[in-house]
Amino acid sequence: MADTTRVRYERKGRVGYVTLDRPEVLNAMDLRMHEELRAIWDEIEADDEVWVVVLAGAGERAFSVGQDLKELAERVKAGTSTSTFGSRGRPGFPRLTERFAFAKPVVARVQGFAMGGGFELALACDVIVAAEDAVFALPEAKLGLIAGAGGVFRLAQQLPYRAALGHLMTGRRLTARRALEYGLVNDVVPAGELDACVDGWVRDILRCAPLSVRAVKEAAAAALTTPLERSFATRHVWEERRMHSRDAEEGPLAFVEKREPEWTGT
């Protein structure tokens, strides 16, 4: 992969680790970071060896505080700041928030602030593990902006409607514990236990057949907007692959033979 200055990426076994790496500005996302992230997501999608991804922010203070507002202010002065929903035509497209067919599961490791675009990035992940000090918010309305990277849509889907609307219209912060009560995050643990908790989720995902995990992710996402009767009749890309895979045979055989399955992703 090309050299990066804003994001670190490494693969360990079946796991890809993506780290937003601007801790000096609380991992604020500038256009260069979005460009680097696009290359990394492309690499992960093309790498058959990666079965699960962990997304984190460098340092202990923030997952990400979202858009780099100093860079945005410069674009405002230059008259080039107008934007609305999505990132089409801008650096980094398609960003993770718009990679609707991204099949591999992504676990967000959230410590400290997850604000604005940082919160939107976490909302686009499949599992969110948060430290007790994690704080979530979409404060865009306070800046004359809107949570256009999917925050308006995903928060309304993932929280009770009035709770979501209240947070969107006011920019009020959401503590990790409150997020857990809403079911917005999967786990909340002390900061010192965050990595161990993330590792536990990764291990549990890797114990499952990778094609099954991708088929589940695809079908569950579609179910959010599809009537139940139509869901049963819909043919999904990853379910077709799972259904005709070796792993679909390996699972039952391993169970009967009282051994651990040997998944191949084929």
Side-chain angles (χ1 to χ4, degrees), residues 1 10 22 26 47-48 50 71 90-91 93-94 119 150 157 183 186-187 197 220 225 231 235-236 241 243 252-253 255:
M1 215 194 90
E10 60 180 330
R22 299 183 75 203
L26 303 182
D47 189 349
D48 291 336
V50 176
E71 183 184 66
R90 291 187 285 154
F93 178 81
F119 190 11
Q157 287 180 335
N186 297 82
D187 260 320
C197 189
T225 57
S231 293
R235 311 304 288 181
H236 296 288
R241 292 185 62 175
M243 184 170 56
L253 291 175
F255 179 82

Side-chain angles (χ1 to χ4, degrees), residues 99-137:
R99 290 187 183 237
F100 307 115
F102 192 88
K104 298 175 183 181
V106 183
V107 179
R109 175 199 181 279
V110 179
Q111 184 171 7
F113 295 113
M115 315 285 277
F119 190 11
E120 291 176 294
L121 196 55
L123 288 171
C125 295
D126 306 297
V127 172
I128 301 177
V129 181
E132 290 176 336
D133 66 353
V135 178
F136 304 91

Side-chain angles (χ1 to χ4, degrees), residues 58-146:
E60 299 178 352
R61 298 173 60 198
F63 175 74
S64 172
V65 292
Q67 186 168 198
D68 186 324
L69 293 178
K70 288 185 178 179
E71 183 184 66
L72 176 59
E74 291 301 316
R75 299 207 307 274
V76 168
K77 292 175 184 177
T80 60
S81 67
T82 301
S83 64
T84 183
F85 298 116
S87 61
R88 184 174 296 277
R90 291 187 285 154
F93 178 81
R95 299 174 185 176
L96 181 65
T97 49
E98 293 164 83
R99 290 187 183 237
F100 307 115
F102 192 88
K104 298 175 183 181
V106 183
V107 179
R109 175 199 181 279
V110 179
Q111 184 171 7
F113 295 113
M115 315 285 277
F119 190 11
E120 291 176 294
L121 196 55
L123 288 171
C125 295
D126 306 297
V127 172
I128 301 177
V129 181
E132 290 176 336
D133 66 353
V135 178
F136 304 91
L138 293 172
E140 283 83 352
K142 292 181 176 181
L143 300 170
L145 305 173
I146 193 167

Side-chain angles (χ1 to χ4, degrees), residues 188-208:
V188 173
V189 296
E193 300 174 16
L194 185 58
D195 287 329
C197 189
V198 169
D199 289 345
W201 278 95
V202 169
R203 284 195 303 271
D204 285 347
I205 291 171
L206 290 176
R207 288 191 182 103
C208 299

Side-chain angles (χ1 to χ4, degrees), residues 4-20:
T4 59
T5 61
R6 304 290 201 272
V7 186
R8 284 186 279 117
Y9 174 63
E10 60 180 330
R11 178 167 64 82
K12 297 179 181 179
R14 297 293 192 183
V15 187
Y17 291 89
V18 180
T19 305
L20 311 180

Side-chain angles (χ1 to χ4, degrees), residues 27-70:
N27 301 314
M29 294 183 284
D30 61 2
L31 298 181
R32 175 62 185 267
M33 179 181 280
H34 285 302
E35 290 176 339
E36 292 181 8
L37 282 168
R38 175 179 59 189
I40 289 169
W41 297 128
D42 286 346
E43 180 175 339
I44 290 171
E45 284 193 291
D47 189 349
D48 291 336
E49 297 301 310
V50 176
W51 289 2
V52 61
V53 182
V54 174
L55 177 61
E60 299 178 352
R61 298 173 60 198
F63 175 74
S64 172
V65 292
Q67 186 168 198
D68 186 324
L69 293 178
K70 288 185 178 179

